[in-house]
C-alpha cells in the first residue's frame, strides 16, 4: 500500500516521485525499462539540455494554449538550475538560452535518483506492467509478480517517440481506460522527408546552412540540414511540430541579405555569375543546386532586374512540400497526447477521475527544441508532486 504510484521513471516521473516523497508521501516509482532516465541519458548528445532560460508558455504547442501557464510560472528554469548548482553540476549556456551539463547527462539522472532517495521513494525497474485497475478509491498496478495499491496514480510514461528506447503508447491506453480523451499523437521535432522530384536536394546529404524556416505562422532561424531522405537540422525540427501533411515549408536562404541585394551585386560586379554570388554565402554544392533550380546561367549583367528580383523572392521563400516525416522512430518528442481539457492546470489531476494525474510528455503539451520539454517535465511533475 502506497500513497502514490508513479508510472514511468523518466524526467517527469523521477521528479514527481521525488517531490511527493519529500512531502512525506510513500511513493512507488515503476518503469519497465531496466534503468531509470534512459531518454535523459541520450538527450543533448549525452550532455542533457536540461532547461531553457527563455521558457514561456508561447513556446509550447497544445490544443489548450493556456494550460501550461500555471505550472510553468510556479516552477521556473531558475528553480531547477538552483538544484543543479546545489549538486555541484557544472553547466553552460549554448545558443538561444539552452543549458547543458559540462559533463554528462548521467549527473542529472544521479541527482534525480538522490532526490528520490531523500524522499524514501521505492524505485522498481525492469519488470513489465500487468493489469492496472481502479476501484474503491484505490488504483491497483500489477508488476513483477506483485500488486501495489494507492489512492493516487501518476501517468508519466511519455509518448511513443524513440521506440527503441522502450517508448510506448501506454499513456493513451490508460487515458482511454479511465475515460480521458486523447488528442491524436503525432511525431514532433522530427526530420521531414522530400518526394522524388526533389532528388537534387536529397543529393546534398550532409550540407547545412542557416535559414529562416517557416510553416504557417511559425518561423525559426537556425541551421537546416539536407539529408538523404529530406530535411533536418534545428530549424526544420522546430517547424516540423507545426507542419501537417500537405502543407508547405518555406526556407529563407541568406537571411541577412537586404532586399535588392542581387540587383546591387549586378551593378557592382556585372561580369560575375549568380552561382559565384550565391557561393559566397552558401555551401558551394547548395549554391549549384539552387542555380540549377532557378535556371539562371551566365553573367549577372545579362539578367534583367525583374529576373533577379524574382530570384531573390524565390530564395527568400523557397518552397518545400514534404511528403512525410521520419516518424516516431526519429522524433524527439510527441505532439498531441492526453487532452488537457480533462486536467487541472494547477495540479495535473484528472477532473473526473480523482487521484489520477498526467504529467510530462504524456499530456498534450509539446515544447520547442532546446530544453523546453525538460522544463515542462519538471514544472508539471512539481505541480502533481505537491498536490498528491
Amino acid at each position: 500500500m502506497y500513497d502514490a504510484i508513479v508510472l514511468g521513471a523518466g524526467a517527469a516521473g523521477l521528479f514527481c516521485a521525488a517531490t511527493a516523497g519529500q512531502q512525506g508521501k510513500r511513493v512507488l516509482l515503476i518503469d519497465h525499462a531496466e534503468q531509470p532516465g534512459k531518454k535523459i541519458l541520450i538527450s543533448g548528445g549525452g550532455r542533457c539540455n536540461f532547461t531553457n532560460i527563455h521558457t514561456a508558455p508561447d513556446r509550447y504547442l497544445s490544443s489548450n494554449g493556456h494550460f501550461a501557464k500555471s505550472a510553468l510560472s510556479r516552477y521556473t528554469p531558475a528553480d531547477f538550475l538552483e538544484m543543479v548548482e546545489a549538486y555541484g553540476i557544472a553547466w553552460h549556456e549554448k545558443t538561444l538560452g539552452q543549458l547543458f551539463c559540462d559533463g554528462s547527462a548521467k549527473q542529472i539522472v544521479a541527482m534525480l535518483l538522490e532526490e528520490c532517495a531523500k524522499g524514501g521513494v521505492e524505485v522498481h525497474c525492469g519488470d513489465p506492467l500487468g493489469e492496472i485497475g481502479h476501484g474503491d478509491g484505490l488504483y491497483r498496478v500489477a508488476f513483477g509478480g506483485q500488486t501495489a495499491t494507492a489512492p493516487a496514480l501518476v501517468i508519466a510514461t511519455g509518448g511513443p517517440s524513440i521506440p527503441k528506447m522502450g517508448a510506448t503508447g501506454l499513456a493513451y491506453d490508460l487515458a482511454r481506460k479511465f475515460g480521458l480523451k486523447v488528442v491524436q499523437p503525432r511525431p514532433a521535432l522530427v526530420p521531414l522527408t522530400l518526394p522524388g522530384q526533389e532528388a537534387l536536394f536529397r543529393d546534398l546529404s550532409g550540407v547545412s546552412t542557416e535559414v529562416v524556416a517557416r510553416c504557417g505562422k511559425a518561423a525559426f532561424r537556425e541551421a537546416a540540414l539536407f539529408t538523404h531522405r529530406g530535411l533536418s537540422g534545428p530549424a526544420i525540427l522546430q517547424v516540423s511540430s507545426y507542419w501537417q501533411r500537405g502543407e508547405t515549408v518555406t526556407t529563407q536562404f541568406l537571411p541577412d541579405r537586404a532586399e535588392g541585394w542581387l540587383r546591387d551585386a549586378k551593378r557592382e560586379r556585372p561580369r560575375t555569375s549568380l552561382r559565384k554570388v550565391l557561393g559566397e554565402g552558401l555551401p558551394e554544392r547548395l549554391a549549384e543546386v539552387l542555380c540549377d533550380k532557378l535556371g539562371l546561367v551566365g553573367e549577372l549583367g545579362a539578367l534583367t532586374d525583374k529576373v533577379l528580383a524574382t530570384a531573390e523572392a524565390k530564395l527568400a521563400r523557397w518552397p518545400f512540400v514534404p511528403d512525410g516525416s521520419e516518424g516516431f522512430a526519429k522524433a524527439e518528442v510527441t505532439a498531441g497526447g492526453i487532452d488537457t481539457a480533462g486536467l487541472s492546470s494547477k495540479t495535473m489531476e484528472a477532473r473526473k477521475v480523482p487521484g489520477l494525474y498526467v504529467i510530462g510528455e504524456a499530456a498534450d503539451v509539446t515544447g520547442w527544441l532546446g530544453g523546453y520539454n525538460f522544463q515542462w517535465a519538471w514544472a508539471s511533475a512539481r505541480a502533481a508532486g505537491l498536490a498528491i
Side-chain angles (χ1 to χ4, degrees):
M1 180 72 189
Y2 297 86
D3 295 314
I5 300 169
V6 180
L7 303 179
L14 283 163
F15 195 45
C16 179
T19 300
Q22 290 180 32
Q23 298 294 308
K25 305 293 184 181
R26 189 175 178 216
V27 181
L28 172 64
L29 176 62
I30 310 175
D31 200 303
H32 68 119
E34 68 279 4
Q35 66 180 116
K38 284 184 75 175
K39 273 193 179 179
I40 299 174
L41 294 173
I42 66 165
S43 67
R47 289 192 170 180
C48 189
N49 179 191
F50 56 82
T51 192
N52 194 298
I53 59 174
H54 300 312
T55 295
D58 65 357
R59 300 188 172 200
Y60 292 83
L61 291 78
S62 175
S63 54
N64 175 3
H66 297 290
F67 181 79
K69 290 180 178 177
S70 176
L72 290 172
S73 68
R74 287 179 288 126
Y75 193 79
T76 67
D79 293 323
F80 190 78
L81 189 57
E82 186 179 348
M83 181 168 65
V84 168
E85 292 184 330
Y87 275 80
I89 298 172
W91 59 275
H92 60 280
E93 180 183 344
K94 286 182 78 171
T95 56
L96 305 171
Q98 303 168 30
L99 303 191
F100 287 79
C101 298
D102 284 359
S104 165
K106 292 177 182 176
Q107 295 172 286
I108 298 294
V109 175
M111 175 187 77
L112 293 169
L113 286 172
E114 178 60 27
E115 286 290 300
C116 283
K118 285 180 183 177
V121 175
E122 220 175 290
V123 181
H124 188 100
C125 289
D127 280 315
L129 290 171
E131 182 65 27
I132 299 171
H134 181 242
D136 300 324
L138 291 174
Y139 293 90
R140 293 172 180 79
V141 179
F143 65 102
Q146 53 190 311
T147 299
T149 61
L153 180 69
V154 182
I155 300 175
T157 54
S161 56
I162 322 183
K164 70 180 180 183
M165 301 297 294
T168 70
L170 174 63
Y172 314 140
D173 297 337
L174 290 174
R176 295 183 183 105
K177 179 185 181 98
F178 292 117
L180 300 181
K181 292 180 180 177
V182 175
V183 176
Q184 181 63 42
R186 56 190 176 85
L189 300 181
V190 64
L192 299 174
T193 57
L194 292 176
Q197 61 263 36
E198 296 285 16
L200 266 177
F201 284 103
R202 295 192 311 196
D203 287 345
L204 293 173
S205 184
V207 172
S208 176
T209 189
E210 186 172 352
V211 302
V212 177
R214 295 182 174 87
C215 185
K217 294 180 180 177
F220 297 92
R221 178 171 176 161
E222 287 188 76
L225 170 69
F226 293 94
T227 72
H228 67 286
R229 295 192 65 191
L231 299 167
S232 189
I236 300 302
L237 296 182
Q238 293 279 39
V239 297
S240 74
S241 297
Y242 296 83
W243 176 79
Q244 302 278 0
R245 189 174 292 275
E247 290 182 342
T248 299
V249 171
T250 64
T251 59
Q252 181 180 357
F253 295 110
L254 301 164
D256 287 324
R257 300 294 168 92
E259 188 178 346
W261 66 275
L262 268 182
R263 285 158 284 177
D264 291 342
K266 169 186 168 179
R267 279 182 271 282
E268 291 163 13
R269 294 178 290 163
R271 303 294 299 275
T272 196
S273 68
L274 178 62
R275 181 170 297 183
K276 182 166 175 38
V277 172
L278 291 182
E280 291 166 359
L282 294 170
E284 193 172 327
R285 286 168 60 201
L286 175 58
E288 288 178 10
V289 166
L290 291 173
C291 279
D292 287 344
K293 290 277 191 179
L294 289 167
L296 299 181
V297 294
E299 298 176 349
L300 289 181
L303 301 171
T304 67
D305 281 3
K306 185 177 180 181
V307 164
L308 292 175
T310 300
E312 261 187 42
K314 184 82 180 283
L315 290 165
R317 293 190 79 89
W318 195 283
F320 292 100
V321 184
D323 59 359
S325 77
E326 295 199 24
F328 286 117
K330 295 291 180 69
E332 295 200 16
V333 293
T334 303
I338 298 174
D339 194 344
T340 58
L343 307 175
S344 161
S345 62
K346 186 176 181 184
T347 65
M348 305 293 129
E349 187 176 15
R351 297 184 187 280
K352 295 181 179 178
V353 193
L356 183 66
Y357 297 80
V358 180
I359 59 175
E361 192 183 344
D364 174 30
V365 177
T366 307
W368 287 3
L369 184 72
Y372 293 98
N373 288 293
F374 271 124
Q375 187 56 39
W376 169 246
W378 315 136
S380 59
R382 184 78 172 172
L386 292 174
I388 289 168

